[in-house]
Amino acid sequence: MTKKKLIAGNWKMNGSLAANEALVKALVAGVGTPACAIAVCVPAPYLAQVQTLVAGSPIELGAQDVSARAQGAFTGEQSAAMLKEFGVHYAIVGHSERRQYHGETDEVVAAKTAAALANGITPIVCVGETLAQREAGQTEEIVKRQLAAVIHVNGHCISEIVVAYEPVWAIGTGKTATPEQAQAVHAVLRAQLHHAASDHAAGIRILYGGSMNAANAAELLAQADIDGGLIGGASLKAPDFLQIIAAAS
Ligand code: 13P
């Protein structure tokens, strides 16, 4: 398989003009010619700043959300077309923090995925179970339901998406899924993608996210169906993010 791994940073609601400049300059200076694809998903107010900072480097720009709507009276939202004007290549959709704090349903996530795809932005579709769901033995059912909604609305276009498996209990907790736990879920997702987009399933990247860091990245990325990482905390520290990029290269 020739697909390159993708290492994407999700800065969440962190950063400042000064901190972003220092972080991205250090990344650009240290990244060299990586064998993986790289993205930083930044808070919306900083898209223009980071677009300029990553220009000419292998680092691509990402947003953390995208509206399902094209335009109009949707206060606070950004359309995919707007993001595209700032060189946005990826948009995270359905992050568990959006599902949890903003009530995003599977249907909304599917519609956001469609909006991104219609505007040439690659959606990074997040799925993942809570600790209670894992302990109740519902992991497979939950992630399959979340992905099924996206497949249902987007059909064969899902060959263009990136999937991120982010177990909610591993996000920001320092508790990483073991490589075996992650691989098991990734294999389930791969099979589901295969069913929906047979020829293309092998080429769809499935990222792991949840306390991935410089120390555990190599082991996770060595799994057969782990095609990269979606990294929160460790993406805010240039040396750590660069080490993860090296582990994927
Ligand atoms: P952490 O790497 O901080 O656990 O966050 C993972 C995540 O939610 C990335 O989207």
Side-chain angles (χ1 to χ4, degrees):
M1 205 181 305
T2 54
K3 97 191 127 181
K4 286 200 266 181
K5 291 198 190 311
L6 168 63
I7 300 298
N10 174 8
W11 291 3
K12 309 195 179 183
M13 198 171 72
N14 294 290
S16 66
L17 288 171
N20 304 344
E21 183 170 341
L23 173 57
V24 178
K25 282 190 167 165
L27 293 176
V28 170
V31 74
T33 311
C36 64
I38 303 164
V40 287
C41 300
V42 312
Y46 297 127
L47 286 169
Q49 182 205 13
V50 178
Q51 180 186 23
T52 303
L53 288 168
V54 299
S57 85
I59 302 169
E60 284 171 314
L61 187 59
Q64 297 175 10
D65 186 25
V66 59
S67 179
R69 323 281 187 151
Q71 62 184 45
F74 302 104
T75 302
E77 296 203 36
Q78 289 91 37
S79 74
M82 293 173 185
L83 298 178
K84 193 73 186 168
E85 286 202 295
F86 290 90
V88 166
H89 191 95
Y90 297 99
I92 298 171
V93 297
H95 192 281
S96 62
E97 288 149 18
R98 303 282 325 163
R99 294 179 190 261
Q100 190 178 346
Y101 305 133
H102 301 270
E104 286 191 12
T105 61
D106 292 341
E107 289 67 35
V108 168
V109 174
K112 288 184 169 191
T113 300
L117 287 171
N119 286 276
I121 292 174
T122 301
I124 301 177
V125 178
C126 300
V127 301
E129 82 289 1
T130 64
L131 185 58
Q133 290 164 336
R134 175 164 282 266
E135 287 176 345
Q138 295 169 339
T139 299
E140 199 170 308
E141 171 192 336
I142 295 294
V143 299
K144 282 173 86 169
R145 189 202 72 212
Q146 291 171 334
L147 184 57
V150 172
I151 293 171
H152 177 71
V153 169
N154 291 278
H156 67 271
C157 294
I158 56 139
S159 60
E160 303 300 322
I161 75 174
V162 173
V163 177
Y165 169 55
E166 298 209 313
V168 177
W169 48 271
I171 295 175
T173 57
K175 233 182 134 185
T176 323
T178 64
E180 294 73 23
Q181 281 175 323
Q183 168 57 29
V185 178
H186 282 232
V188 166
L189 296 170
R190 181 82 65 205
Q192 191 178 3
L193 292 168
H194 203 269
H195 197 69
S198 47
D199 294 350
H200 303 289
I204 298 174
R205 291 179 176 125
I206 308 176
L207 314 183
Y208 170 79
S211 298
M212 190 187 264
N213 59 38
N216 62 27
E219 210 186 355
L220 286 159
L221 293 168
Q223 300 300 308
D225 290 298
I226 300 186
D227 307 311
L230 184 56
I231 295 113
S235 75
L236 298 171
K237 295 173 234 154
D240 296 50
F241 196 55
L242 287 169
Q243 259 185 277
I244 298 170
I245 289 166
S249 300

